[in-house]
Amino acid sequence: MLNPSAVRSVLGWLAAAIFTGAFAFVYIYNPSTAMPATSSTSANPAPSAQPKGPPPANLETAIFATGCFWCSQAVLERLPGVWEATCGYTGGTVANPTYEQVSSGKTGHAEATMVKFDPKVISYDELLEWFWHMHDPTTLNRQGYDEGTQYRSAIYYFSDAQRIAAEKSKAAAQKDFKDKIVTEITKASAFYKAEDYHQEFFNNNPAQGYCQGVISPKLAKLKLTLTPTTAGTAAKPAAATTAGGASSAAATK
């Protein structure tokens, strides 16, 4: 006959193990719980993926929101012709918002990436092509397990030329997706640079759980280098999957 005390002990141990495992999973894969980079990486950040030397005088600016800005920065800064890719917040109603405020969903901001690019090397149309392939533009206010208006898909334009190009590109991209594209195309407004520990997050924290589970696979899928480099290795983005969007919840933040 089983000893009731022993049974309770075993069941209690199993319950504790399950709870601990579940907590660890949520902590690792929920970016809102991620800690800033350690003092060693902050003092010695990984080399930027952007080109070196003085930038050309003809740089243009674009802003894209594709969910997690860790992902979009990691992708965009690996493209030939991109000189800067900065994580930040835009489209909201509060000046100089913090990550915690934006994460609450109450400020109206989106996590976004501001790109400074050389149009002689990569055109705005080419950046738009990458935009449609680097995230799922058919999920409203959600990318993978991240949900909220701060994770919306959006293109913020600086001119009528950018607006027209974005609208034309959106219409052309729809054929690659089974579901309707919900990306908003909005005039650019104030852009606030995110906290320092968000910048170059993947380069500085490649072994972090989210980077290993989401960003690395995304870069591999797009045929981009995982290590920082002065130029991406892919000439064109990889083809999107048409069965419900460009990427699955397991591969997109």
Side-chain angles (χ1 to χ4, degrees), residues 198-250:
H198 286 301
Q199 309 302 329
E200 301 291 334
F201 191 88
F202 176 74
N203 293 338
N204 290 330
N205 305 274
Q208 195 261 3
Y210 186 81
C211 295
Q212 286 277 312
V214 177
I215 302 179
S216 288
K218 177 174 289 192
L219 293 176
K221 181 178 180 179
L222 294 172
K223 304 186 187 313
L224 293 170
T225 58
L226 298 184
T227 55
T229 179
T230 56
T233 58
K236 290 180 179 294
T241 302
T242 57
S247 45
S248 65

Side-chain angles (χ1 to χ4, degrees), residues 104-247:
S104 73
K106 297 178 180 180
T107 68
H109 291 90
E111 287 193 16
T113 304
M114 177 180 281
V115 180
K116 299 287 186 179
F117 65 99
D118 183 350
K120 292 184 178 180
V121 179
I122 186 168
S123 68
Y124 186 67
D125 286 339
E126 289 172 316
L127 282 175
L128 289 169
E129 188 176 353
W130 280 98
F131 171 84
W132 302 117
H133 288 77
M134 63 191 285
H135 77 306
D136 185 348
T138 69
T139 52
L140 183 63
N141 299 329
R142 180 173 61 81
Q143 286 298 307
Y145 297 109
D146 295 311
E147 188 170 2
T149 56
Q150 68 270 28
Y151 297 115
R152 63 187 178 270
S153 173
I155 299 170
Y156 297 93
Y157 61 85
F158 285 90
S159 65
D160 282 340
Q162 284 193 352
R163 175 183 58 80
I164 293 170
E167 292 172 347
K168 181 179 179 180
S169 180
K170 179 179 178 180
Q174 183 61 67
K175 69 179 184 299
D176 293 328
F177 297 91
K178 176 182 177 181
D179 299 321
K180 181 181 178 180
I181 290 177
V182 295
T183 301
E184 65 177 59
I185 299 175
T186 307
K187 185 176 182 179
S189 58
F191 179 92
Y192 301 98
K193 183 179 178 180
E195 292 82 349
D196 287 345
Y197 72 89
H198 286 301
Q199 309 302 329
E200 301 291 334
F201 191 88
F202 176 74
N203 293 338
N204 290 330
N205 305 274
Q208 195 261 3
Y210 186 81
C211 295
Q212 286 277 312
V214 177
I215 302 179
S216 288
K218 177 174 289 192
L219 293 176
K221 181 178 180 179
L222 294 172
K223 304 186 187 313
L224 293 170
T225 58
L226 298 184
T227 55
T229 179
T230 56
T233 58
K236 290 180 179 294
T241 302
T242 57
S247 45

Side-chain angles (χ1 to χ4, degrees), residues 13 39 64 90 221:
W13 181 86
S39 58
F64 303 112
T90 193
K221 181 178 180 179

